[in-house]
Amino acid sequence: MAEKPLVSIITPSFNQSQFLESAIQSVINQDYSHKEYWVIDGGSQDGSLEIIQKYADRLTGWISEPDEGQADAINKGFQRTRGEIVGWLNSDDVYRPHAIKRAVAIFQAYPDVGLVYSDVDSIDAEGEVFNRMSYDHWGLKDLMAFNILGQPGVFFRRCVLDAAGYLDGSYHYLLDHHLWLRMGLLTKIHYAPDQVWAAARMHADAKNVAHAEGFGQEAYRLAEWMQKDDRFADLYAENEKKILAGAHRLNAFYLLNADQPAAALKAYGRAFVKNPSVVVKDWRRVAFALLSPLKVNALRDRYLEKRKQHFIKNESSR
């Protein structure tokens, strides 16, 4: 790798003008100069085009045309970029300062690593942090068990992307996880503890809110794919219970987000049968699901607000 490798960043966008400018600014203001940045818009009609044109002289390139969804937009970006290191930032997410420089430093320190990731903040529609999604030192077996990486905090080498193949457009919710799994077959993965390279925005129109139930269905589809794919077959057979428990847990997590507590409890029950320790991690969410029929949503909301304020207070005191 060159002393200062070219980094390619892609932002797929469609009708999210209220967030797009923040995303663009978070990329162009990075303190890493040797980068290229493409915005791939799906033909937005909400003022996004005017925002893109406002920053056109700071972009490597941009297009605005109808596409077949998020995967198609990102793949168009992959095709147009040439950096040795690649990442994508959705139009409702933001990079934190120094994100690209810190990711590059890890790639330079570990030449055999092909994918790096950090923790990711959760922010609301106004950009206020209310949670931190913390991860661990995960490898391929962990990814197979549906330990999910925060996508905006992930960067990878171009050579690994080319070898693994681009995003599969038939996936709409776990398209990134499908790619990480294929990359995990080919390269080492490195976690950057105590670093936060990005923030993922949670809002009413976000997929993980508006279409939460779709994530579980794609988790089951991925589990079936791993079972049938010869590249994963042996590892799948050795870890089947953990994999299925992880798929059920993921389904339960998003069903609860979609305000379907009864269905979430059933999914948690299936996860418990396969691997009880997986469910123990989510004991607070299981409790919320159990209490939901008793009309304690207000209690849950108060707890979440207190948790948010506690997080903000702790962060501000650092």
Side-chain angles (χ1 to χ4, degrees):
M1 185 182 291
E3 184 176 348
K4 197 170 186 180
L6 179 65
V7 177
S8 301
I9 305 297
I10 301 151
T11 290
S13 174
F14 182 66
N15 286 340
Q16 288 197 326
S17 60
Q18 68 270 43
F19 306 126
L20 177 60
E21 189 164 21
S22 294
I24 291 175
Q25 289 177 342
S26 78
V27 178
I28 63 177
N29 291 331
Q30 288 288 308
D31 59 347
Y32 187 87
S33 60
H34 198 40
K35 63 181 182 295
E36 59 175 355
Y37 183 32
W38 278 79
V39 176
I40 311 296
D41 183 73
S44 296
Q45 301 294 323
D46 67 339
S48 292
L49 188 57
E50 288 77 9
I51 294 171
I52 295 169
Q53 291 172 331
K54 176 181 175 180
Y55 293 95
D57 63 339
R58 305 285 300 276
L59 306 176
T60 306
W62 63 274
I63 59 173
S64 182
E65 63 185 22
D67 56 40
E68 297 178 4
Q70 183 184 19
D72 184 39
I74 297 166
N75 286 342
K76 288 180 180 180
F78 289 159
Q79 293 165 358
R80 286 167 170 78
T81 54
R82 57 189 178 86
E84 295 175 57
I85 297 170
V86 185
W88 80 82
L89 184 76
N90 293 325
S91 54
D92 50 356
D93 298 334
V94 293
Y95 280 143
R96 294 308 196 197
H98 319 300
I100 296 176
K101 181 170 68 175
R102 289 172 177 170
V104 169
I106 293 177
F107 281 119
Q108 292 182 310
Y110 300 96
D112 56 342
V113 166
L115 183 151
V116 299
Y117 63 99
S118 74
D119 294 339
V120 174
D121 281 338
S122 298
I123 58 175
D124 60 20
E126 287 70 43
E128 184 176 348
V129 179
F130 64 88
N131 186 42
R132 178 157 297 158
M133 294 179 282
S134 299
Y135 309 115
D136 208 336
H137 297 277
W138 292 333
L140 178 58
K141 289 194 291 185
D142 302 297
L143 298 182
M144 291 175 68
F146 295 95
N147 289 289
I148 302 296
L149 307 181
Q151 177 275 315
V154 175
F155 295 86
F156 43 88
R157 295 186 192 268
R158 166 77 60 179
C159 59
V160 177
L161 172 66
D162 289 342
Y166 289 179
L167 292 167
D168 184 336
S170 68
Y171 286 90
H172 302 289
Y173 306 101
L174 294 177
L175 67 169
D176 51 349
H177 196 67
H178 185 230
L179 179 59
W180 311 153
L181 285 166
R182 288 182 280 128
M183 288 182 170
L185 289 166
L186 304 171
T187 188
K188 290 183 179 179
I189 300 170
H190 186 92
Y191 169 53
D194 302 320
Q195 294 195 38
V196 180
W197 297 339
R201 195 183 304 270
M202 309 298 174
H203 57 94
D205 295 328
K207 286 193 296 185
N208 51 9
V209 177
H211 305 285
E213 64 278 2
F215 285 82
Q217 297 309 309
E218 288 199 349
Y220 295 136
R221 180 184 169 195
L222 280 174
E224 183 178 1
W225 164 71
M226 287 186 282
Q227 183 182 28
K228 294 179 178 179
D229 191 306
D230 290 342
R231 297 171 298 176
F232 294 96
D234 290 343
L235 276 176
Y236 184 94
E238 294 170 9
N239 299 278
E240 182 174 20
K241 288 186 177 181
K242 289 183 178 179
I243 292 168
L244 293 177
H248 290 313
R249 174 179 177 256
L250 186 71
N251 188 30
F253 182 93
Y254 283 105
L255 285 171
L256 194 56
N257 284 357
D259 199 23
Q260 299 181 45
L265 282 173
K266 289 181 181 178
Y268 273 128
R270 290 191 286 269
F272 188 85
V273 170
K274 295 294 183 181
N275 187 2
S277 63
V278 165
V279 179
V280 171
K281 299 176 184 177
D282 278 9
W283 70 267
R284 289 187 178 88
R285 295 181 63 84
V286 174
F288 285 149
L290 286 167
L291 292 172
S292 186
L294 301 178
K295 309 299 183 185
V296 294
N297 286 340
L299 178 63
R300 178 189 65 185
D301 293 342
R302 286 198 297 271
Y303 165 79
L304 293 175
E305 180 62 25
K306 286 184 66 176
R307 179 182 173 188
K308 173 181 175 180
Q309 294 305 322
H310 178 71
F311 175 83
I312 294 170
K313 180 180 178 181
N314 286 347
E315 287 301 301
S316 62
S317 65
R318 289 189 176 186

